[in-house]
Each structure stands twice: as structure tokens, then as C-alpha cells.
Amino acid sequence: MKFLIIDGNNILNRAYYAIKSLNDSRGKNINGVYGFVNTLRRFIHSLAPEYVAVAFDVSRNTFRTEISSSYKANRASTPEDLKSQLQLTQELVELMGFSVVKCAGWEADDILGTLSSRCCPPEVECVLLTGDRDAYQLVKENVCVIFPTTKDRAATVETVTLESIKKKYGIEPAQFIDVKAIAGDVSDNIPGCKGIGEKTAVSLIARFGSIEALFENLEEVSSLSVRSKLMAGKQDIFLGKRLVEICLDVPVNCTLDAYIPRNVNKRVLLTRLAELDMRTTIEKIHLLVPHLADCAISDAALDDPSVVIKYIDDMAEIIHKLKNLPRLYVAVSEQNDCFGFNTGDDVYVLPVDKNLSRMIEFVSSFAGELCVDSIKGLVRVLIRADPGFSASSIAAPFCIQLAGYLLDSLRGKYDVARLVKVYIEPADYIRFESDNFVFGLINSPRLCAVMKQQLEENAQLSLLQQVEIPLAGVLVSVEREGFLLNVPQLFEFGKQLEDQIKRVEEEVFSFNDDKELNLNSPAKLGQFLFGKLNLPPSGRSKVGFKTDAESLKKICHLHPVVKLLLQHRMLVKLKSTYVDKLLAVRDATNRVHTVFNQTETKTGRISSSEPNLQNIPIKTELGSQLRSFFIAEPGHVIVDADYSQIELRVLAEICKDEALIEIFKASQDIHSIAAAEIFKVPINAVTARMRQTAKMVNFGVVYGMGASALATELDICISEAGEYIKSFFCRFPGAEEYTRETVAFAEK
């Protein structure tokens, strides 16, 4: 049998400072709670304890602060959001059925000591989970300590047992009280003996057994320096021992059976976790609370008895109820392959495959308003049965996910269950914790009403209906059509890249006699560049000197091998990220089907994934060749359309620079004109490279790029880059004035 006793404050503090700010849907920081619950789940699962207790401090005022007012006085006050997370953590521990143990005047350490010494007969294995090394003194035959830690950026555990302490330190666990009394502890503001560290303290206690015996036989300490330090620090040492020693008789319940995990209301627990957006915890709830495995949650999780959820097989059963409704809420789960309907009174869930044809017929003829969770998701599913089906076949739709994106493009995720908790107060939405899909479906009517009202207030409803929803249909069509590849040429291009990669590697190795040099290893590369070649590093990373592309660009003028390494990186990326990836994901007709994400960017742009076709390189000659392998079928063309210098047109409108305005009014090419100004040549003598340089200057200036950044981008010296910027402002003084005024305004 196992008894797991947890130092709640210590584990919560570790999580709070280890995890960056992590907010729930209402903006409340839950980083500490999240880390604590994940740690708890991890050890409940791995240890499977029959008994569990979680100890917490009540306040900083304990018997130790009465002994010494300086005890822990050096610590900063607890952040307010950590205090609130402490209360929330204790609430969750109770909801899980585990015992929270607190006692005014004592610390969590003392509770760990009391429970481990008084609750655990020899046949019970006691495991103390903490990050505090003070717990070493509690270790004995049936008591071990586990410290959660990280090694090589991965979570791991250090287990301290009676045998491991004796082997490593040569002393008994209880003697760590005396060791710390001598060595002190900065974090607890225990001074110890100045000038004597843990290593010397361990050797002294290993020899004399205790600080009392040490001072009785002080003349036997051979080192005069150590002896004098001990004499000078005697008062602090004995005070430290009183502060360090963990109490073993705190007045808490020491009946072992009191710490058997309790059966509690699983629905309440799941509801609370859902409110905190702790989805991964809900998904793995059986690992966290195995004692609640038999407490099934089905429709009993629904806290509004007026709502009826019906699981049916055939849409024909309800078609007569649906077709004459003024408004219907529809959802589709591609993951679970099911449709959902909410009539306002009843909620229906049914399988996709059996109802595809009938669903297409229904949504194409429905006369009312369809409120859909995801237009793209619905159309993607329906085109399985009818490849010609499009979003335009759906009359007057309202899309929840797109509405959520328009209302807040910074949110990042727009699943309906999440949006319910963003736009509806907890007291106003209907809870259903066993299925997020059904939970969102149940609350769709109220959610749609709230979102539609906000869209109308923001004058965004027409944007949703006339732009975003039609665009969703277009994107699905393009995804389905895919992009045709010239596979033979792409294969040949890949072989060429392989040959070039080998040639570049040979050139790199000509500067190094170590043929085992791994060009993909930052550590090995750092040793080669900054050790063997003595090049100056531009900075340090966690594993050594920086060898990323930006860092290498800064030193590429110092040695030819650096340019070769940058070239090698570019070639390898072209081969692996683009050529190999495109060939791997093509279908039987040699088409690549990307996914266009309509709600991912914060700026309103469309992004592409699986694979990303928007970052096909174009700046290098080799990279631009990749674009030629995307082809049209015979008799067709690929159309490439783009705004014409939109940022510079906006700049002209804002800064009212007459020269800039006249260029656009005359439909002239601003990049060629800027190139002529920068390079002091007639406009008809501007080359493509000059124009490209001017283009980078133009857009760099618009976005505040300075000479140093522009020099790096163009691979020129800073003074030359400065002249380029100066030439731009000479040509367009209104832009320079606008830039100056904007900076002054921002500073003010």
C-alpha cells in the first residue's frame, strides 16, 4: 500500500514560476493551478496510491517566526494571482476527493513530517512529493521523497531513499537537520555558520554525529579556520537547528483511513475544470481520479431538465419538425463524424454517413435561417456525397466560428464550446460536461443571439454575411481542387539539390579535417566556428553559442565557410521542407490539397497549412524555381493577383506627400522610380536587382526599418543602407515628416 503526501504550496509555487502566464477564457491566470493538477495527475497515475493527502500552509506566521522574526523575512510577498490560485487549487483538490490538510501555526513541511511518522506503519510505503530538500530529514525505511525536476528540458523525477542518502552523503537522514543548521539556507533566511558550506557541514556531522557533539569536541577539529568560524557562528547554528527541524506532532488527523480518496460529485468536478478551460485534464480525468471511475457521467451531466438530447440514426425521423422552422442551429463534428441540430426546444445528434444525401437536400431547400458552427466544416463533409455542393447552396447562413473571429481576431481558437464560455456568463449557459460538441450545440441559440447583437453594434454583420461566409465556400472549393504539380521536374530538381548539398558539404569539410562534423548540430558547429576557427560569436543560446541563420549572417564576411553554411541550410531546407514534403503529400493525380485557415491570423489574412503553400521561397533563384513546378492543366492558366503596392498607397494617403501621390495617379512604378533615385541612374537603366533593392528600402522605411536592419537584409554595409534611406526621404519628404511626427506622438 502507498500513501502519497504532497507539499501543496511547494508544488503550486514551482508550477506558477515554471509556466508562463496561462489564462482561462475569462482572462484569469491559472498557470500554477494547471501545473499543479498536471503534476498531481502524473503521480496519481504512476504511483496508484491508496491514500492521498495534500498539505498547505495557512500563513507565514508559524512557531518558527515566533522563535526568529527574521525567518523567511527575505522573501517577497506572494503575488495576488498566486494567492487566488492557492484557494482554487485547494478547491480542486477537495472536488477530486483528496484531503486538504492545514493547521494554523505550522507549515506544510510539518504536516508531511507528522503524517509520514505517525500515519504509516511499516507495511505502508510513504511517498513525499515536494521540491524542498528539507524533506531529506524525513526519509526512513518506508518513507522516500520524490522531487519533480527537469533534465535536458524533459520532466523527470529524482527519488531519494534511505539507501541513496547513506551512499551519497554517508549520514543518516535525520542528521540533515544539523547539516543545514551549519550550512544555513538563503531561501529561508537561516544564516548558519558563515564561511562553511554544505560539503564541510556534511563531513563534520558524519564525523561527530550532531552539532551538540561537535561543540563538545570542538578541539578535535584540525582546521583552525573552521574551528574559529564555528565558534563565531555557534549561536546562529543552534538557532538554525530549531528552525530547520521539521515538527512531527502537528495536531492533524493521523488516522490512515481518513486519507482514502472520497467518492465525490464528478459532474461538479468536470464542470469546474471546464470553466477553467482545462480540456486535457478532462480528457484524462480517469488518470487523475481513478477512484471515481465508476461514477459515470452521461445525460445526468445536463443541468437543465427542459432540454432533451436525442441520439437518432435517420434524419427522416425529424425532417418534418425541421423544415418549417424559422431558424435552425446546425453543427458538424468532423472528428466524431456526426451532425447536430438544435430546434430551440430539442437537440438531436445523428451520424454523418447515413444522412449525407438527405442533409444536402435539406440545407439546400431550407427557407429559414441556418446558424452553423462552421460553414467550411459543413461544406467539407457534404461534398463527400456531392463534389459540386457549395456554400452558396445554403440560404441565409450564420457562422459561429467566423463571427467569433470578426469579434476578436486575437483569440486564436473558435470552437463553439470555448466561445460559449467567452460570450455567456456561467450562470446563463447550460452545462453538459461529457461532450464539448453537444455542449456547444445546446448553447448555440443563446450564443448566436449574443454574437449577432455584437456584430450589429460593430457594423460587422454585413462583413460576415457578404464577405467571410462566401469566402469560406470559395476556400473549400480551392482546397478540393488542389494544386497540380509537375512531378517529373520536381523529382529532377530534388536530385539537383542533393548534388549541390554534397558539393557544399565537401567545401565546408575542406576547412575542417574532422569528417564527422555534423552540420546540423548547433553544438558541434559552434565548436568548429568559435573554437577551431576562432570566429567571434554573436551571442549565446541555452546549449552554447548561437549558430542560427541570423547570427551567422552577422559574421559571414569574416570567413568563407560561414557563407557556405548558410548556403547549405538553404539547400537542405528547399530539399526537405519543400521538395520532399510536396512529393509526399500529393494525391494520385499529382495534386496537393492544402487547408486554408480563415480564422488563424490576427491581421485578417488567410493562412495555409498541411502543407503551407504560402511560404514557397521566391527571393533566391533556386527558391523561385519551386513556383514553376505548380502548373495548370492544358487549356488553363494559373492567375496570380496581388494588391499593387498597397502599403505605399496607404502611406501616400496618410502623409499627403505630393510626389508620392503623383506617382500613383500617373500609374507609375514607385519601386523603379525609387531605384533610379537611390542608384542615381535614369529610370530606363534600372535593373531588376536595383528595383528589388529599392522595393526592400521602400517597404522597410514604411515599417520603421533602420540602417542596421536594412544592411543585414540587403547584405551591404550600414553606411550604404543609410544612404538608401536618406535618398528615399529626399525624394519623398512628406513620408519623412510623417515618420518623425509618428515617433514623437508615440513617445509622448
Side-chain angles (χ1 to χ4, degrees), residues 86-107:
L86 176 62
Q87 297 169 356
L88 179 55
T89 301
Q90 293 176 9
E91 175 196 345
L92 287 177
V93 170
E94 293 280 11
L95 287 176
M96 294 167 197
F98 304 127
S99 297
V100 169
V101 190
K102 298 184 289 184
C103 193
W106 282 268
E107 297 180 51

Side-chain angles (χ1 to χ4, degrees), residues 29 54 70 181 183 230 266 297 341 367 504 567 596:
N29 189 14
V54 187
S70 63
L230 288 169
K266 190 174 178 182
I297 297 280
F341 296 104
V504 172
Q567 185 183 2
F596 288 113

